[in-house]
Short mmCIF file of all heavy atoms in Angstrom, two decimals:
data_model
loop_
_atom_site.label_atom_id
_atom_site.label_comp_id
_atom_site.label_asym_id
_atom_site.label_seq_id
_atom_site.Cartn_x
_atom_site.Cartn_y
_atom_site.Cartn_z
N GLU A 18 3.15 19.90 11.95
CA GLU A 18 2.70 18.53 11.81
C GLU A 18 3.31 17.93 10.56
O GLU A 18 3.28 18.51 9.49
CB GLU A 18 1.18 18.51 11.72
CG GLU A 18 0.63 17.16 11.47
CD GLU A 18 -0.90 17.18 11.33
OE1 GLU A 18 -1.51 18.22 11.54
OE2 GLU A 18 -1.43 16.12 11.01
N ILE A 19 3.88 16.75 10.68
CA ILE A 19 4.46 16.04 9.55
C ILE A 19 3.37 15.19 8.91
O ILE A 19 2.67 14.46 9.59
CB ILE A 19 5.64 15.16 9.99
CG1 ILE A 19 6.76 16.04 10.54
CG2 ILE A 19 6.12 14.30 8.85
CD1 ILE A 19 7.89 15.26 11.16
N VAL A 20 3.23 15.31 7.59
CA VAL A 20 2.23 14.56 6.86
C VAL A 20 2.92 13.81 5.72
O VAL A 20 3.68 14.40 4.96
CB VAL A 20 1.15 15.49 6.27
CG1 VAL A 20 0.14 14.70 5.46
CG2 VAL A 20 0.47 16.27 7.38
N SER A 21 2.69 12.50 5.61
CA SER A 21 3.27 11.69 4.54
C SER A 21 2.17 11.13 3.66
O SER A 21 1.07 10.86 4.12
CB SER A 21 4.08 10.52 5.12
OG SER A 21 5.23 10.99 5.77
N ARG A 22 2.52 10.92 2.41
CA ARG A 22 1.58 10.33 1.45
C ARG A 22 2.35 9.26 0.68
O ARG A 22 3.45 9.49 0.23
CB ARG A 22 1.06 11.41 0.50
CG ARG A 22 0.24 10.91 -0.66
CD ARG A 22 -1.06 10.31 -0.19
NE ARG A 22 -1.64 9.53 -1.27
CZ ARG A 22 -2.86 9.65 -1.70
NH1 ARG A 22 -3.68 10.48 -1.12
NH2 ARG A 22 -3.29 8.91 -2.68
N ASP A 23 1.75 8.07 0.55
CA ASP A 23 2.37 6.98 -0.19
C ASP A 23 1.59 6.70 -1.46
O ASP A 23 0.37 6.80 -1.48
CB ASP A 23 2.36 5.69 0.66
CG ASP A 23 3.22 5.81 1.90
OD1 ASP A 23 4.37 6.26 1.78
OD2 ASP A 23 2.74 5.43 2.98
N TRP A 24 2.31 6.34 -2.52
CA TRP A 24 1.72 5.92 -3.78
C TRP A 24 2.37 4.62 -4.20
O TRP A 24 3.52 4.36 -3.88
CB TRP A 24 1.98 6.93 -4.90
CG TRP A 24 1.35 8.25 -4.72
CD1 TRP A 24 0.11 8.65 -5.13
CD2 TRP A 24 1.94 9.39 -4.11
NE1 TRP A 24 -0.10 9.96 -4.80
CE2 TRP A 24 1.01 10.45 -4.17
CE3 TRP A 24 3.17 9.64 -3.50
CZ2 TRP A 24 1.27 11.71 -3.67
CZ3 TRP A 24 3.42 10.89 -2.99
CH2 TRP A 24 2.47 11.91 -3.08
N SER A 25 1.65 3.81 -4.95
CA SER A 25 2.25 2.63 -5.56
C SER A 25 1.51 2.35 -6.85
O SER A 25 0.36 2.74 -7.03
CB SER A 25 2.19 1.42 -4.63
OG SER A 25 0.86 1.08 -4.34
N SER A 26 2.22 1.69 -7.76
CA SER A 26 1.58 1.34 -9.02
C SER A 26 0.63 0.18 -8.78
O SER A 26 0.82 -0.63 -7.89
CB SER A 26 2.64 0.97 -10.06
OG SER A 26 3.44 -0.09 -9.59
N ASP A 27 -0.40 0.12 -9.57
CA ASP A 27 -1.40 -0.93 -9.45
C ASP A 27 -1.60 -1.53 -10.84
O ASP A 27 -2.43 -1.06 -11.60
CB ASP A 27 -2.70 -0.36 -8.91
CG ASP A 27 -3.74 -1.42 -8.66
OD1 ASP A 27 -3.38 -2.60 -8.56
OD2 ASP A 27 -4.93 -1.07 -8.56
N VAL A 28 -0.78 -2.53 -11.16
CA VAL A 28 -0.85 -3.13 -12.49
C VAL A 28 -1.20 -4.60 -12.38
O VAL A 28 -0.87 -5.26 -11.41
CB VAL A 28 0.48 -2.97 -13.25
CG1 VAL A 28 0.75 -1.52 -13.56
CG2 VAL A 28 1.62 -3.58 -12.48
N CYS A 29 -1.86 -5.10 -13.38
CA CYS A 29 -2.26 -6.50 -13.40
C CYS A 29 -1.42 -7.32 -14.37
O CYS A 29 -1.70 -8.47 -14.62
CB CYS A 29 -3.75 -6.61 -13.78
SG CYS A 29 -4.83 -5.84 -12.57
N SER A 30 -0.40 -6.71 -14.94
CA SER A 30 0.44 -7.40 -15.91
C SER A 30 1.75 -7.81 -15.27
O SER A 30 2.32 -7.07 -14.47
CB SER A 30 0.72 -6.48 -17.10
OG SER A 30 1.60 -7.12 -18.00
N SER A 31 2.24 -9.00 -15.60
CA SER A 31 3.48 -9.49 -15.00
C SER A 31 4.71 -9.05 -15.78
O SER A 31 5.82 -9.42 -15.42
CB SER A 31 3.44 -11.02 -14.92
OG SER A 31 3.33 -11.56 -16.22
N ASP A 32 4.54 -8.24 -16.84
CA ASP A 32 5.69 -7.82 -17.64
C ASP A 32 5.99 -6.33 -17.52
O ASP A 32 6.66 -5.76 -18.36
CB ASP A 32 5.52 -8.23 -19.09
CG ASP A 32 4.29 -7.59 -19.74
OD1 ASP A 32 3.45 -7.05 -19.00
OD2 ASP A 32 4.19 -7.66 -20.98
N LEU A 33 5.48 -5.68 -16.47
CA LEU A 33 5.69 -4.25 -16.29
C LEU A 33 6.50 -3.96 -15.02
O LEU A 33 6.44 -4.69 -14.04
CB LEU A 33 4.34 -3.52 -16.20
CG LEU A 33 3.45 -3.62 -17.43
CD1 LEU A 33 2.12 -2.93 -17.14
CD2 LEU A 33 4.12 -3.00 -18.64
N TYR A 34 7.23 -2.86 -15.06
CA TYR A 34 7.92 -2.38 -13.87
C TYR A 34 6.90 -1.72 -12.95
O TYR A 34 5.89 -1.19 -13.41
CB TYR A 34 8.99 -1.37 -14.27
CG TYR A 34 10.23 -2.02 -14.83
CD1 TYR A 34 10.21 -2.67 -16.05
CD2 TYR A 34 11.42 -1.99 -14.12
CE1 TYR A 34 11.35 -3.27 -16.56
CE2 TYR A 34 12.56 -2.59 -14.62
CZ TYR A 34 12.52 -3.23 -15.85
OH TYR A 34 13.64 -3.83 -16.34
N THR A 35 7.14 -1.74 -11.65
CA THR A 35 6.25 -1.12 -10.67
C THR A 35 7.04 -0.14 -9.81
O THR A 35 8.27 -0.15 -9.82
CB THR A 35 5.58 -2.18 -9.77
OG1 THR A 35 6.60 -2.90 -9.08
CG2 THR A 35 4.72 -3.13 -10.59
N PHE A 36 6.34 0.68 -9.06
CA PHE A 36 7.02 1.63 -8.20
C PHE A 36 6.26 1.84 -6.89
O PHE A 36 5.06 1.59 -6.80
CB PHE A 36 7.18 2.99 -8.90
CG PHE A 36 5.88 3.74 -9.03
CD1 PHE A 36 5.46 4.62 -8.03
CD2 PHE A 36 5.05 3.57 -10.12
CE1 PHE A 36 4.27 5.30 -8.14
CE2 PHE A 36 3.85 4.23 -10.24
CZ PHE A 36 3.45 5.11 -9.25
N ASP A 37 6.99 2.29 -5.89
CA ASP A 37 6.44 2.80 -4.64
C ASP A 37 7.08 4.16 -4.42
O ASP A 37 8.29 4.32 -4.64
CB ASP A 37 6.80 1.89 -3.46
CG ASP A 37 6.17 0.52 -3.58
OD1 ASP A 37 4.94 0.46 -3.69
OD2 ASP A 37 6.91 -0.46 -3.55
N ALA A 38 6.29 5.15 -4.01
CA ALA A 38 6.82 6.48 -3.78
C ALA A 38 6.22 7.05 -2.50
O ALA A 38 5.11 6.70 -2.11
CB ALA A 38 6.49 7.40 -4.96
N ARG A 39 6.99 7.92 -1.85
CA ARG A 39 6.52 8.59 -0.64
C ARG A 39 6.98 10.04 -0.67
O ARG A 39 8.13 10.34 -0.90
CB ARG A 39 7.05 7.93 0.60
CG ARG A 39 6.74 8.76 1.88
CD ARG A 39 7.19 8.08 3.12
NE ARG A 39 6.11 7.13 3.45
CZ ARG A 39 5.92 6.65 4.65
NH1 ARG A 39 6.70 6.95 5.64
NH2 ARG A 39 4.92 5.80 4.87
N ALA A 40 6.04 10.95 -0.43
CA ALA A 40 6.34 12.37 -0.28
C ALA A 40 5.96 12.77 1.14
O ALA A 40 4.90 12.40 1.63
CB ALA A 40 5.54 13.19 -1.28
N THR A 41 6.85 13.50 1.80
CA THR A 41 6.60 13.90 3.18
C THR A 41 6.69 15.42 3.32
O THR A 41 7.71 16.02 3.00
CB THR A 41 7.61 13.25 4.14
OG1 THR A 41 7.53 11.83 3.99
CG2 THR A 41 7.29 13.59 5.59
N ASP A 42 5.58 16.02 3.78
CA ASP A 42 5.50 17.46 4.04
C ASP A 42 5.88 17.66 5.50
O ASP A 42 5.17 17.22 6.40
CB ASP A 42 4.07 17.94 3.77
CG ASP A 42 3.86 19.41 4.07
OD1 ASP A 42 4.81 20.09 4.51
OD2 ASP A 42 2.74 19.88 3.83
N GLN A 43 7.02 18.31 5.73
CA GLN A 43 7.48 18.52 7.11
C GLN A 43 7.35 19.97 7.54
O GLN A 43 8.07 20.43 8.41
CB GLN A 43 8.92 18.02 7.25
CG GLN A 43 9.00 16.53 6.94
CD GLN A 43 10.22 15.89 7.51
OE1 GLN A 43 10.45 15.92 8.72
NE2 GLN A 43 11.01 15.29 6.64
N GLY A 44 6.42 20.68 6.91
CA GLY A 44 6.16 22.06 7.31
C GLY A 44 6.81 23.06 6.38
O GLY A 44 7.39 22.72 5.36
N GLU A 45 6.70 24.30 6.76
CA GLU A 45 7.23 25.40 5.95
C GLU A 45 8.56 25.88 6.52
O GLU A 45 8.73 25.90 7.73
CB GLU A 45 6.22 26.55 5.94
CG GLU A 45 4.85 26.16 5.44
CD GLU A 45 4.84 25.70 4.00
OE1 GLU A 45 5.69 26.17 3.20
OE2 GLU A 45 4.01 24.86 3.65
N PRO A 46 9.48 26.29 5.69
CA PRO A 46 9.48 26.15 4.24
C PRO A 46 9.78 24.70 3.86
O PRO A 46 10.35 23.95 4.66
CB PRO A 46 10.62 27.06 3.79
CG PRO A 46 11.58 27.04 4.92
CD PRO A 46 10.72 26.91 6.17
N GLY A 47 9.44 24.32 2.65
CA GLY A 47 9.65 22.94 2.22
C GLY A 47 11.10 22.63 1.90
O GLY A 47 11.61 21.56 2.21
N ALA A 48 11.79 23.57 1.24
CA ALA A 48 13.19 23.34 0.86
C ALA A 48 14.02 23.08 2.10
O ALA A 48 13.94 23.80 3.10
CB ALA A 48 13.73 24.54 0.10
N GLY A 49 14.79 22.00 2.06
CA GLY A 49 15.64 21.63 3.19
C GLY A 49 14.92 20.83 4.26
O GLY A 49 15.54 20.40 5.23
N ARG A 50 13.61 20.62 4.12
CA ARG A 50 12.83 19.89 5.12
C ARG A 50 12.01 18.75 4.52
O ARG A 50 12.02 17.64 5.04
CB ARG A 50 11.89 20.85 5.86
CG ARG A 50 12.63 21.93 6.63
CD ARG A 50 11.68 22.84 7.33
NE ARG A 50 10.98 22.10 8.39
CZ ARG A 50 10.10 22.63 9.20
NH1 ARG A 50 9.78 23.89 9.09
NH2 ARG A 50 9.51 21.90 10.11
N ASP A 51 11.24 19.04 3.46
CA ASP A 51 10.37 18.02 2.86
C ASP A 51 11.21 16.95 2.19
O ASP A 51 12.32 17.21 1.71
CB ASP A 51 9.43 18.66 1.83
CG ASP A 51 8.42 19.59 2.46
OD1 ASP A 51 8.30 19.61 3.70
OD2 ASP A 51 7.74 20.31 1.71
N THR A 52 10.67 15.72 2.14
CA THR A 52 11.42 14.61 1.55
C THR A 52 10.58 13.88 0.49
O THR A 52 9.35 13.94 0.51
CB THR A 52 11.86 13.59 2.62
OG1 THR A 52 10.70 13.05 3.27
CG2 THR A 52 12.77 14.23 3.64
N PHE A 53 11.30 13.19 -0.40
CA PHE A 53 10.66 12.38 -1.44
C PHE A 53 11.50 11.14 -1.64
O PHE A 53 12.73 11.19 -1.61
CB PHE A 53 10.56 13.16 -2.76
CG PHE A 53 9.83 12.41 -3.83
CD1 PHE A 53 8.46 12.38 -3.85
CD2 PHE A 53 10.52 11.70 -4.80
CE1 PHE A 53 7.76 11.68 -4.83
CE2 PHE A 53 9.84 10.99 -5.78
CZ PHE A 53 8.46 10.98 -5.79
N ALA A 54 10.84 9.99 -1.84
CA ALA A 54 11.54 8.73 -2.08
C ALA A 54 10.77 7.92 -3.12
O ALA A 54 9.55 7.96 -3.16
CB ALA A 54 11.65 7.93 -0.79
N ILE A 55 11.51 7.18 -3.95
CA ILE A 55 10.88 6.29 -4.93
C ILE A 55 11.72 5.03 -5.08
O ILE A 55 12.95 5.09 -5.05
CB ILE A 55 10.68 6.99 -6.29
CG1 ILE A 55 9.84 6.11 -7.22
CG2 ILE A 55 12.00 7.41 -6.92
CD1 ILE A 55 9.29 6.83 -8.43
N THR A 56 11.04 3.88 -5.21
CA THR A 56 11.68 2.59 -5.46
C THR A 56 11.02 1.99 -6.69
O THR A 56 9.79 1.96 -6.78
CB THR A 56 11.51 1.65 -4.25
OG1 THR A 56 12.13 2.24 -3.12
CG2 THR A 56 12.13 0.28 -4.52
N ILE A 57 11.83 1.49 -7.62
CA ILE A 57 11.33 0.88 -8.85
C ILE A 57 11.73 -0.59 -8.86
O ILE A 57 12.87 -0.93 -8.55
CB ILE A 57 11.89 1.60 -10.09
CG1 ILE A 57 11.49 3.08 -10.04
CG2 ILE A 57 11.40 0.94 -11.38
CD1 ILE A 57 12.17 3.95 -11.07
N ARG A 58 10.75 -1.45 -9.21
CA ARG A 58 10.98 -2.90 -9.26
C ARG A 58 10.74 -3.42 -10.67
O ARG A 58 9.83 -2.95 -11.36
CB ARG A 58 10.04 -3.61 -8.29
CG ARG A 58 10.37 -3.35 -6.84
CD ARG A 58 9.41 -4.06 -5.90
NE ARG A 58 9.75 -3.79 -4.52
CZ ARG A 58 9.44 -2.69 -3.87
NH1 ARG A 58 8.74 -1.74 -4.47
NH2 ARG A 58 9.81 -2.53 -2.60
N ASP A 59 11.54 -4.42 -11.06
CA ASP A 59 11.36 -5.04 -12.37
C ASP A 59 10.16 -5.99 -12.31
O ASP A 59 9.55 -6.18 -11.26
CB ASP A 59 12.64 -5.72 -12.85
CG ASP A 59 13.02 -6.97 -12.07
OD1 ASP A 59 12.22 -7.49 -11.27
OD2 ASP A 59 14.16 -7.44 -12.27
N PRO A 60 9.80 -6.60 -13.43
CA PRO A 60 8.63 -7.49 -13.45
C PRO A 60 8.70 -8.66 -12.47
O PRO A 60 7.67 -9.20 -12.07
CB PRO A 60 8.59 -7.98 -14.90
CG PRO A 60 9.20 -6.87 -15.69
CD PRO A 60 10.31 -6.37 -14.80
N LYS A 61 9.91 -9.04 -12.04
CA LYS A 61 10.05 -10.14 -11.07
C LYS A 61 10.02 -9.65 -9.62
O LYS A 61 10.10 -10.43 -8.69
CB LYS A 61 11.35 -10.89 -11.32
CG LYS A 61 11.36 -11.62 -12.65
CD LYS A 61 12.65 -12.36 -12.86
CE LYS A 61 12.63 -13.06 -14.20
NZ LYS A 61 13.87 -13.79 -14.46
N GLY A 62 9.92 -8.34 -9.43
CA GLY A 62 9.87 -7.78 -8.09
C GLY A 62 11.21 -7.38 -7.52
O GLY A 62 11.30 -6.92 -6.38
N THR A 63 12.27 -7.50 -8.30
CA THR A 63 13.60 -7.12 -7.85
C THR A 63 13.76 -5.60 -7.93
O THR A 63 13.41 -4.98 -8.94
CB THR A 63 14.67 -7.78 -8.75
OG1 THR A 63 14.48 -9.19 -8.70
CG2 THR A 63 16.07 -7.45 -8.29
N VAL A 64 14.29 -5.00 -6.87
CA VAL A 64 14.53 -3.55 -6.86
C VAL A 64 15.64 -3.24 -7.85
O VAL A 64 16.73 -3.81 -7.77
CB VAL A 64 14.90 -3.07 -5.45
CG1 VAL A 64 15.31 -1.60 -5.47
CG2 VAL A 64 13.74 -3.28 -4.48
N VAL A 65 15.34 -2.35 -8.80
CA VAL A 65 16.34 -1.96 -9.79
C VAL A 65 16.82 -0.53 -9.60
O VAL A 65 17.87 -0.15 -10.11
CB VAL A 65 15.81 -2.14 -11.24
CG1 VAL A 65 15.56 -3.61 -11.53
CG2 VAL A 65 14.56 -1.33 -11.48
N ALA A 66 16.06 0.26 -8.85
CA ALA A 66 16.46 1.63 -8.56
C ALA A 66 15.73 2.11 -7.32
O ALA A 66 14.56 1.81 -7.11
CB ALA A 66 16.16 2.55 -9.73
N THR A 67 16.44 2.87 -6.51
CA THR A 67 15.82 3.51 -5.35
C THR A 67 16.57 4.79 -5.06
O THR A 67 17.80 4.84 -5.19
CB THR A 67 15.77 2.57 -4.13
OG1 THR A 67 15.02 3.20 -3.10
CG2 THR A 67 17.14 2.22 -3.62
N ILE A 68 15.85 5.81 -4.73
CA ILE A 68 16.46 7.09 -4.39
C ILE A 68 15.56 7.81 -3.41
O ILE A 68 14.33 7.67 -3.44
CB ILE A 68 16.72 7.94 -5.66
CG1 ILE A 68 17.58 9.15 -5.32
CG2 ILE A 68 15.42 8.33 -6.32
CD1 ILE A 68 18.16 9.85 -6.53
N SER A 69 16.17 8.54 -2.52
CA SER A 69 15.41 9.35 -1.57
C SER A 69 16.26 10.54 -1.17
O SER A 69 17.48 10.52 -1.31
CB SER A 69 15.04 8.53 -0.33
OG SER A 69 16.22 8.13 0.35
N GLY A 70 15.59 11.57 -0.72
CA GLY A 70 16.34 12.73 -0.29
C GLY A 70 15.44 13.86 0.16
O GLY A 70 14.22 13.76 0.12
N THR A 71 16.11 14.90 0.58
CA THR A 71 15.45 16.12 1.04
C THR A 71 15.43 17.12 -0.11
O THR A 71 16.42 17.26 -0.84
CB THR A 71 16.22 16.71 2.23
OG1 THR A 71 16.27 15.71 3.26
CG2 THR A 71 15.55 17.95 2.78
N LEU A 72 14.32 17.81 -0.28
CA LEU A 72 14.20 18.79 -1.35
C LEU A 72 15.18 19.94 -1.15
O LEU A 72 15.27 20.52 -0.07
CB LEU A 72 12.79 19.39 -1.40
CG LEU A 72 11.74 18.66 -2.23
CD1 LEU A 72 11.51 17.25 -1.73
CD2 LEU A 72 10.48 19.45 -2.28
N ALA A 73 15.95 20.24 -2.21
CA ALA A 73 16.86 21.38 -2.19
C ALA A 73 16.11 22.66 -2.53
O ALA A 73 16.51 23.76 -2.15
CB ALA A 73 18.00 21.16 -3.17
N ALA A 74 15.01 22.52 -3.28
CA ALA A 74 14.18 23.65 -3.67
C ALA A 74 12.75 23.13 -3.80
O ALA A 74 12.53 21.94 -3.93
CB ALA A 74 14.65 24.23 -4.99
N GLY A 75 11.80 24.01 -3.75
CA GLY A 75 10.40 23.61 -3.89
C GLY A 75 9.74 23.35 -2.55
O GLY A 75 10.30 23.62 -1.50
N ASN A 76 8.53 22.80 -2.62
CA ASN A 76 7.74 22.62 -1.41
C ASN A 76 6.66 21.58 -1.67
O ASN A 76 5.87 21.73 -2.59
CB ASN A 76 7.10 23.95 -1.01
CG ASN A 76 6.43 23.90 0.33
OD1 ASN A 76 6.67 23.01 1.13
ND2 ASN A 76 5.57 24.87 0.60
N ILE A 77 6.65 20.51 -0.89
CA ILE A 77 5.55 19.54 -0.94
C ILE A 77 4.46 20.07 -0.03
O ILE A 77 4.71 20.39 1.13
CB ILE A 77 6.02 18.15 -0.47
CG1 ILE A 77 7.05 17.60 -1.45
CG2 ILE A 77 4.83 17.20 -0.32
CD1 ILE A 77 7.73 16.34 -0.99
N GLN A 78 3.26 20.21 -0.55
CA GLN A 78 2.15 20.69 0.26
C GLN A 78 1.05 19.65 0.29
O GLN A 78 0.54 19.24 -0.75
CB GLN A 78 1.63 22.02 -0.27
CG GLN A 78 2.65 23.12 -0.11
CD GLN A 78 2.07 24.48 -0.41
OE1 GLN A 78 1.23 24.63 -1.29
NE2 GLN A 78 2.51 25.46 0.32
N SER A 79 0.70 19.22 1.48
CA SER A 79 -0.33 18.20 1.63
C SER A 79 -1.69 18.84 1.83
O SER A 79 -1.80 19.99 2.24
CB SER A 79 -0.01 17.30 2.84
OG SER A 79 -0.03 18.08 4.01
N THR A 80 -2.72 18.08 1.52
CA THR A 80 -4.09 18.49 1.82
C THR A 80 -4.46 17.82 3.13
O THR A 80 -4.53 16.60 3.23
CB THR A 80 -5.05 18.03 0.70
OG1 THR A 80 -4.58 18.58 -0.52
CG2 THR A 80 -6.44 18.51 0.98
N ARG A 81 -4.65 18.59 4.15
CA ARG A 81 -4.95 18.05 5.48
C ARG A 81 -6.46 18.06 5.72
O ARG A 81 -7.18 18.93 5.24
CB ARG A 81 -4.24 18.88 6.54
CG ARG A 81 -2.74 18.78 6.41
CD ARG A 81 -2.07 19.56 7.52
NE ARG A 81 -0.65 19.32 7.51
CZ ARG A 81 0.24 20.19 7.06
NH1 ARG A 81 -0.13 21.35 6.59
NH2 ARG A 81 1.52 19.90 7.11
N LEU A 82 -6.91 17.10 6.49
CA LEU A 82 -8.33 17.05 6.86
C LEU A 82 -8.64 18.13 7.88
O LEU A 82 -7.81 18.48 8.71
CB LEU A 82 -8.65 15.68 7.46
CG LEU A 82 -8.44 14.49 6.54
CD1 LEU A 82 -8.67 13.18 7.32
CD2 LEU A 82 -9.39 14.55 5.36
N ASP A 83 -9.85 18.67 7.80
CA ASP A 83 -10.28 19.64 8.82
C ASP A 83 -10.34 18.95 10.18
O ASP A 83 -10.74 17.81 10.30
CB ASP A 83 -11.67 20.20 8.47
CG ASP A 83 -11.62 21.07 7.24
OD1 ASP A 83 -10.55 21.62 6.93
OD2 ASP A 83 -12.67 21.22 6.58
N ARG A 84 -9.98 19.69 11.18
CA ARG A 84 -10.02 19.15 12.55
C ARG A 84 -11.21 19.67 13.29
O ARG A 84 -11.74 20.65 13.10
CB ARG A 84 -8.75 19.53 13.29
CG ARG A 84 -7.58 18.90 12.61
CD ARG A 84 -6.34 19.08 13.45
NE ARG A 84 -5.31 18.32 12.80
CZ ARG A 84 -4.10 18.71 12.65
NH1 ARG A 84 -3.70 19.84 13.13
NH2 ARG A 84 -3.22 17.97 12.05
#
């Protein structure tokens, strides 16, 4: 089962950079399968950096709800 989790910054100031990130657990093993992405925006909302990719090492492990 593929499980994704999204995060975003929650700021009330107009002079700070913000971000959105996503980690995806695509099962075991994580290396070569799990993915991570992040986008950073300047105070005006313009994207200044974005990167995404598949983990070369390590493992994203999600907490799944009981079924």
Side-chain angles (χ1 to χ4, degrees):
E18 176 182 354
I19 296 173
V20 178
S21 292
R22 172 67 196 231
D23 295 312
W24 295 271
S25 61
S26 57
D27 185 18
V28 294
C29 296
S30 176
S31 61
D32 61 347
L33 298 176
Y34 282 69
T35 59
F36 72 90
D37 295 303
R39 171 176 277 202
T41 303
D42 178 358
Q43 299 200 59
E45 303 297 330
R50 298 180 67 178
D51 293 349
T52 60
F53 184 81
I55 188 166
T56 299
I57 301 170
R58 291 179 180 80
D59 70 11
K61 294 181 181 180
T63 303
V64 173
V65 296
T67 186
I68 190 166
S69 63
T71 302
L72 272 61
N76 188 17
I77 294 171
Q78 294 190 324
S79 63
T80 303
R81 296 183 172 104
L82 298 174
D83 292 335
R84 296 189 174 138

